[in-house]
Amino acid sequence: MKRSALLAFFALNFVAAHLFAAERVLLRENMDSDTSQWIGQKGDGSVPLFGQFIADPLGSDKKVLRFDKKVMGGDFFSKARFKAGKYRLSFDYLGTCPAKNCGGVIGISSDFPGRTTWLAGTAAGFPHTLRDSHQWQHYDLTVDAAFNFHLVLEHWVESAGAVGSVHFAGIELAALDEKGGVMAAGASTDYRNLTLESKVLQKPMRVQVYLPQGYDAKKKYPVLYWLPAFNNSESDALYNTGLGGLADELIAKGQLQPMIIVAPQADNSWYTNTASAPSERTFRSDRFGEGRYEDYLLDELIPWTEKQFAVDARPAARWIGGISMGGYGAVALALRHPTTFSRVGGHSPAILGAGRANYRFGEFVLNWLYPDAATRSVRDPMLLVKNAPLDGMQFWLDAGEQDFEILKESKDFAAQLKLRGAQYQFSSGAGGHDSFYWNEERLNRYLRFYGGI
């Protein structure tokens, strides 16, 4: 890690997130099993963890975490994401660095990576100093986190320090009450991982459902169908973005009506009926589900949801949205079924305009979704919007300022909505096709668009 990187990181990838577990100690890592509580700096598994659990080099019977590669960005991020507040963070540290600039760093980050506050390290300038004493040192820190965060472990790499010189053990994070005592965490966000046996797709389909705190089966709740992005699972779209936790917070503040959020398994299908029988296509390293995915969503998922949960089945209380491929699916499905949804969100939507084929699978997807002019006329949102009934629907189109082609397509689509006299809004902001744009503030805005009070 370079010194200039210690004060701030910028998030570049769509990320995972979570809230409190319902227990007194929120995170405990004894290094006695595996690295399942941790993930690399991009938050999607694409960056490996440059460390491993090993036997204590000083001979005790405990296991410890050792950073084992001298590389830039050897971050360990906790998969769990914790609310802003006061905490006790305790851990053991063993440093054996031969150089002054070598050693470990521990802190909290809003993202993978994101806004980062470093709590302790071996160099000057940290609130607490870690000692490279060649002996285990125990630390108890009080953390006053101003934002929702992941715990971050790091090591210096620009110095002459030898590989294997930084070790952590016995990490524990607990919430504190106002008097400084350890308190029980709040109720965990309610995510349900379920399976729907699809007849049209001839296989079980995973569904993740968020239920608001205090969910009452005797009431009726509006529902948001939240469609995953390309190569994202239903859990990536909902649990890993922390969307349910953000909804809990907004509901508690009186800014969002209690609502249900449903994220379906997508299989890179683009939410379209591409074949009468289910199969799979492969292009380079990407897999694309073929079959009646549109029929599955409309004819199976929605009725199943309304049967399983206390859903307000009126179109006025049924919303659909998503990011990237999910944004395309939301817009296309709403235009093809104009009386089904009342609020439609195309967030950085991959609308696939006629001229765009210059990304890794662009030409393949264009030819696959639009094999001829007749098929395109009933699938392309830019053509559908010219004639579809739009009464009763509200749209939100948005994209990052550096998401150049998708930004242009979103503006073009918004212009068509304006010509049709539709209810819509368009917005943009700093960022590209990444989590710097799809940050927590923007996810909160998305939620308020659908169910804001």
Side-chain angles (χ1 to χ4, degrees), residues 291-409:
R292 294 164 52 200
Y293 280 86
E294 179 175 345
D295 291 348
Y296 162 68
L297 291 166
L298 273 295
D299 300 336
E300 291 187 324
L301 178 65
I302 290 177
W304 175 85
T305 301
E306 294 174 353
K307 182 178 180 180
Q308 295 289 322
F309 300 100
V311 169
D312 185 341
R314 298 174 302 156
R318 188 186 300 123
W319 314 318
I320 189 168
I323 291 171
S324 192
M325 181 186 78
Y328 164 86
V331 171
L333 289 171
L335 293 174
R336 288 199 291 268
H337 304 274
T339 61
T340 302
F341 307 99
S342 59
R343 298 180 192 178
V344 183
H347 310 301
S348 305
I351 293 177
L352 293 169
R356 185 158 68 92
N358 61 345
Y359 62 116
R360 73 180 189 194
F361 50 68
E363 186 173 358
F364 169 81
V365 172
L366 286 171
N367 293 333
W368 178 53
L369 287 181
Y370 310 143
D372 52 59
T375 303
R376 183 166 200 148
S377 68
V378 295
R379 290 184 182 175
D380 187 345
M382 291 300 297
L383 300 179
L384 290 168
V385 70
K386 296 179 179 181
N387 297 301
L390 301 178
D391 292 343
M393 287 192 288
Q394 299 179 50
F395 292 82
W396 184 6
L397 276 293
D398 69 290
E401 292 171 353
Q402 286 74 49
D403 198 359
F404 301 112
E405 295 200 16
I406 283 182
L407 176 62
K408 179 182 183 302
E409 292 172 8

Side-chain angles (χ1 to χ4, degrees), residues 45 65 76 132 175 240 246 262 289 383 401 407 437:
L65 166 65
F76 268 57
D132 278 338
N240 287 346
L246 296 178
V262 178
L383 300 179
E401 292 171 353
L407 176 62
Y437 180 72

